[in-house]
Amino acid sequence: MKVAVVGCGYVGLVTGAGLASLGHDVGGIETDQERRRGIAAGLPPFHEPQLPELLAKQLAGGRFRVSADLGDTADAEVVLLAVQTPANEDGAIDLQYVESAADGLAQVFAARPARRVVAVRSTVVPGTVDERVAPRFPGPDTAVASNPEFLREGSAVEDFLRPDRVVVGCHEPWGARVLEELYRPLGAPVVVTTPATAELAKYASNAFLATLISFSNEIARAAEGIAGVDVEDVLRILHDDRRLSPVVDGSIVRPGILSYLKAGCGYGGSCLPKDLSALLAARRVAGAEHPLLEAVRAVNDGQPARVVDLVEDALGEVRSRKIGVLGLAFKGGTDDVRSSPGLRVVDELLRRGAEVIVYDPLVGEDALRAYDGRVGFARELEALLDEVEAAVVTTNAPEFSALDGDRRAVIVDGRRFLPPDRLRESDRAIGRGPVNSA
Ligand code: UGA
């Protein structure tokens, strides 16, 4: 099939190269010249395992190309919109890029009438396809659909090629059939529904993950108040519930979702915080209240301060003390610092007057530009540990699990990543009550 993907950011590039690998003929449209050059040379503008190899292969095979011209979408049977959807100051979604791309496409299509499907792949609030995109394509030739992505950074290629399901929200049966055909080579179940259902399902999915994390952090808060109780032990007992860990063929299955039922310094990244805020803002405009989701967000907002409270519990006031933060990316295995819990811990430490030094195995010093030299940067973990009085672990970067008791700095495990026997009595951890020495 001839496919165009408008926007070659994270979602668009993985989707475009992925569809090309299924045998489709894919043209990516990207307005940023530098990004376009990199992509054409086989260099994705972000760190994502397997993507460079996939992209290079599809470019070489001639199944994927990139251009700046929206006019190049004219031949495509399917056009996927994967442009950015940033947040306004109040957390509401900014749909200007979706709308201007749709306007541009409408002009291209008007000059070259043909049957086409336009599918919104970006995460957009329920109602966007029906109210903001479809009206721009009034004729019977264009079917407009929602086709949300469910890709995780760090395993996006794998997630694209082996999805749990493909979601197609489209009112026109012929449009849904075209998208089913597009994804058929994946062999995954395709759920056909309405655009608004597809849109809300994407938000529900991320809100669910956020809820599990904040729930775990709420239980951690309870555990911290009780001597001898550790949230890790408490949640493990929950995990053992057969409704969460079923026994299949005599073996216990531990579903991946259980790793979100875990306490830490809060969720981050480019999706969970932004999507929850966008949904809440849209619902507020509609006059609706969502106390559970508001609380999920409030618990998350409070986590950095709780982590720093643990540092102060171990050391006393952090003012003018040297404190290390281990992990700047929003999770291990990525260099993405968007809405990173580690950076929020840095901010809280600075607010309380600490001297902060950071280390991350994948993130460079550039990520600290906004701090104007107010935050130190260590190139090596050992060098940082020698300098600081306490070090806060904020991500699950594999290197951090090897921290051992042979060090001066107090460790504050904000991600519950260290094996419990590596934590000394003087160390602290989210969700671990006062150590019961009896
Ligand atoms: C998330 C969702 O997991 C994807 O399904 C969704 O498609 C994507 O957002 C999106 O909307 O585009 P991502 O932001 O890459 O993907 O990251 P996750 O791996 O889910 O991590 C989100 C937060 O949960 C991070 O703070 C991370 O540290 C935390 N996390 C992640 C856990 O607590 N446990 C885990 O097992 C994984």
Side-chain angles (χ1 to χ4, degrees):
M1 262 183 177
K2 274 189 171 301
V3 184
V5 180
V6 181
C8 291
Y10 202 81
V11 171
L13 193 55
V14 173
T15 303
L19 287 170
S21 77
L22 302 181
H24 297 302
D25 177 18
V26 184
I29 310 292
E30 173 57 54
T31 49
D32 184 303
Q33 191 185 36
E34 199 180 321
R35 183 171 276 212
R36 215 167 47 239
R37 277 203 195 123
I39 293 170
L43 302 169
F46 43 80
H47 171 89
E48 183 60 43
Q50 295 186 45
L51 186 59
E53 299 80 359
L54 182 77
L55 180 62
K57 196 166 166 198
Q58 300 316 315
L59 285 164
R63 283 177 300 274
F64 184 79
R65 76 204 80 81
V66 62
S67 83
D69 185 3
L70 208 55
D72 290 348
T73 58
D75 289 336
E77 299 159 77
V78 177
V79 181
L80 297 170
L81 279 186
V83 293
Q84 66 272 44
T85 50
N88 288 326
E89 251 171 31
D90 62 352
I93 194 167
D94 175 357
L95 290 170
Q96 63 165 308
Y97 300 97
V98 173
E99 293 185 320
S100 64
D103 282 337
L105 287 176
Q107 275 184 19
V108 172
F109 296 176
R112 294 268 303 274
R115 270 206 150 188
R116 299 183 186 90
V117 177
V118 173
V120 178
R121 188 105 173 120
S122 314
T123 300
V124 292
V125 290
T128 301
V129 163
D130 283 342
E131 291 155 27
R132 313 282 283 269
V133 181
R136 290 173 150 86
F137 303 93
D141 274 354
T142 309
V144 181
S146 162
N147 172 223
E149 52 83 18
F150 295 90
L151 310 172
R152 289 163 301 171
E153 283 189 30
S155 55
V157 171
E158 198 61 25
D159 290 345
F160 177 85
L161 294 172
R162 263 171 279 285
D164 305 329
R165 67 317 206 191
V166 170
V167 179
V168 170
C170 189
H171 295 296
E172 288 83 8
W174 70 266
R177 273 197 303 276
V178 169
L179 290 173
E180 280 184 281
E181 194 55 41
L182 179 74
Y183 290 108
R184 191 180 314 280
L186 292 173
V190 179
V191 181
V192 177
T193 180
T194 63
T197 302
E199 289 165 331
L200 183 56
K202 171 60 195 270
Y203 281 95
S205 167
N206 279 353
F208 176 59
L209 299 176
T211 303
L212 290 183
I213 294 172
S214 281
F215 167 80
S216 308
N217 286 330
E218 189 88 331
I219 300 298
R221 198 174 290 204
E224 277 165 29
I226 312 168
V229 173
D230 188 331
V231 70
E232 287 278 288
D233 298 329
V234 173
L235 291 176
R236 198 169 313 121
I237 293 169
L238 255 74
H239 291 187
D240 285 341
D241 185 318
R242 284 197 183 170
R243 288 166 294 185
L244 292 170
S245 300
V247 177
V248 178
D249 294 336
S251 307
I252 298 176
V253 175
R254 301 281 185 197
I257 194 73
L258 295 182
S259 60
Y260 291 82
L261 202 47
K262 181 170 171 62
C265 48
Y267 57 80
S270 63
C271 303
L272 267 52
K274 185 176 91 152
D275 290 354
L276 194 57
S277 293
L279 179 63
L280 286 170
R283 300 293 300 144
R284 227 178 8 254
V285 170
E289 285 179 14
H290 291 275
L292 174 65
L293 297 182
E294 294 282 5
V296 165
R297 185 164 62 172
V299 168
N300 201 56
D301 289 346
Q303 285 311 102
R306 292 190 51 219
V307 172
V308 178
D309 286 347
L310 288 178
V311 180
E312 295 204 316
D313 183 51
L315 296 185
E317 276 197 15
V318 293
R319 178 167 301 282
S320 303
R321 321 272 291 263
K322 271 194 185 165
I323 312 294
V325 173
L326 307 183
L328 282 188
F330 82 94
K331 62 179 177 182
T334 164
D335 62 352
D336 191 344
V337 298
R338 288 178 289 175
S339 297
S340 144
L343 284 178
R344 291 165 59 222
V345 170
V346 168
D347 292 339
E348 182 62 20
L349 283 165
L350 289 176
R351 203 185 63 74
R352 297 193 200 181
E355 220 179 290
V356 184
I357 308 177
V358 299
Y359 170 78
D360 188 294
L362 292 178
V363 179
E365 202 168 355
D366 253 19
L368 296 173
R369 231 173 325 164
Y371 290 93
D372 262 342
R374 284 182 304 132
V375 175
F377 180 79
R379 272 171 224 295
E380 278 171 25
L381 178 57
E382 286 310 319
L384 179 145
L385 290 173
D386 285 346
E387 259 196 78
V388 298
E389 288 187 68
V392 185
V393 177
T394 68
T395 68
N396 54 349
E399 207 178 329
F400 302 150
S401 70
L403 288 169
D404 57 28
D406 190 21
R407 56 189 137 71
R408 180 180 77 103
V410 164
I411 295 294
V412 175
D413 188 352
R415 190 60 175 80
R416 296 316 308 262
F417 189 52
L418 273 73
D421 59 358
R422 292 265 170 104
L423 287 172
R424 300 161 303 187
E425 221 176 289
S426 53
D427 293 330
R428 296 288 185 277
I430 277 280
R432 188 173 71 156
V435 176
N436 204 343
S437 40

